[in-house]
Amino acid sequence: MTAPAADRATAPPQRSYTTDEELLARVLAPYKEHCKYLRSAEVMASDGLSSARCAFAIPESCYIDDTGHLNAVEVNIAYNQMMYYLVAKSVKEGLLTGFEDWTLDDFWRHQLPDILVARFAANFRRPVEPRRFTGEMEFRSVTRRTSGAAGPFLHAPTVFRYRDAHGGRCDGEATLAFVNVP
């Protein structure tokens, strides 16, 4: 998810933000205590798009006996937590195209009912240790669209990746739809 050296030389400078503990706690508030996997997140922004590098820990699965590896359900839960934090931080700092008029109050109002994962695909390359792993997520674009009677929405393709210290890897793509937007 890092640009080649030649591209970085001509790219505008990135802004970087370390974990906002207060914001992280609020983003994770809807989750049951044993399902709060996101531990920290560094958000980067450049050219109207944002990305995050995160640390996760899943002490035990919230729904199944220990599989010994990150599974599809946990990949999705970790993605949602990473995405919610990235959007909230991007709104707070004014980083992400399409969200220029949003406030944090708008984000809290939309967080659960209006942010939809329209498509989700994950590729497991090597098993990932769930007790301690990292994740990355990047917005590829955000465009405003209209869907007939449903009204305007924001369409946002994203990519993500998880890794652990032992070479475990899972990556994928998710398309988000932010509905009921002004």
Side-chain angles (χ1 to χ4, degrees):
M1 296 205 199
T2 303
D7 293 341
R8 287 193 307 264
T10 60
Q14 276 196 342
R15 291 178 280 171
S16 180
Y17 302 85
T18 58
T19 306
D20 181 330
E21 295 293 340
E22 199 172 302
L23 185 67
L24 179 59
R26 178 91 190 264
V27 163
L28 296 179
Y31 289 87
K32 301 204 180 302
E33 204 54 45
H34 66 284
C35 295
K36 294 180 180 182
Y37 303 155
L38 181 59
R39 301 297 189 244
S40 65
E42 177 187 9
V43 170
M44 288 77 58
S46 178
D47 233 6
L49 294 175
S50 57
S51 61
R53 288 188 197 123
C54 302
F56 294 91
I58 303 175
E60 67 177 307
S61 179
C62 66
Y63 77 101
I64 194 170
D65 286 341
D66 189 4
T67 61
H69 58 81
L70 190 65
N71 64 52
V73 171
E74 292 157 343
V75 162
N76 199 318
I77 292 170
Y79 173 86
N80 285 352
Q81 292 177 9
M82 181 166 49
M83 177 269 296
Y84 286 144
Y85 181 83
L86 178 55
V87 173
K89 187 64 173 172
S90 295
V91 166
K92 182 178 181 180
E93 304 297 340
L95 307 176
L96 191 56
T97 297
F99 296 88
E100 297 89 352
D101 296 332
W102 281 41
T103 65
L104 275 177
D105 286 339
D106 294 325
F107 173 79
W108 305 130
R109 189 171 55 257
H110 291 289
Q111 180 180 4
L112 295 182
D114 298 328
I115 302 176
L116 310 176
V117 178
R119 189 174 72 76
F120 191 87
N123 302 304
F124 291 85
R125 307 295 183 185
R126 291 195 60 202
V128 175
E129 165 61 49
R131 305 298 177 259
R132 182 182 171 131
F133 63 101
T134 61
E136 298 174 19
M137 177 188 169
E138 175 183 313
F139 275 89
R140 290 295 172 101
S141 66
V142 179
T143 56
R144 188 175 181 87
R145 296 188 178 179
T146 302
S147 173
F153 68 98
L154 297 175
H155 176 266
T158 68
V159 294
F160 65 91
R161 177 179 345 175
Y162 300 113
R163 296 180 186 176
D164 67 20
H166 311 290
R169 182 173 169 193
C170 171
D171 55 41
E173 300 177 353
T175 302
L176 304 172
F178 297 81
V179 300
N180 297 319
V181 297

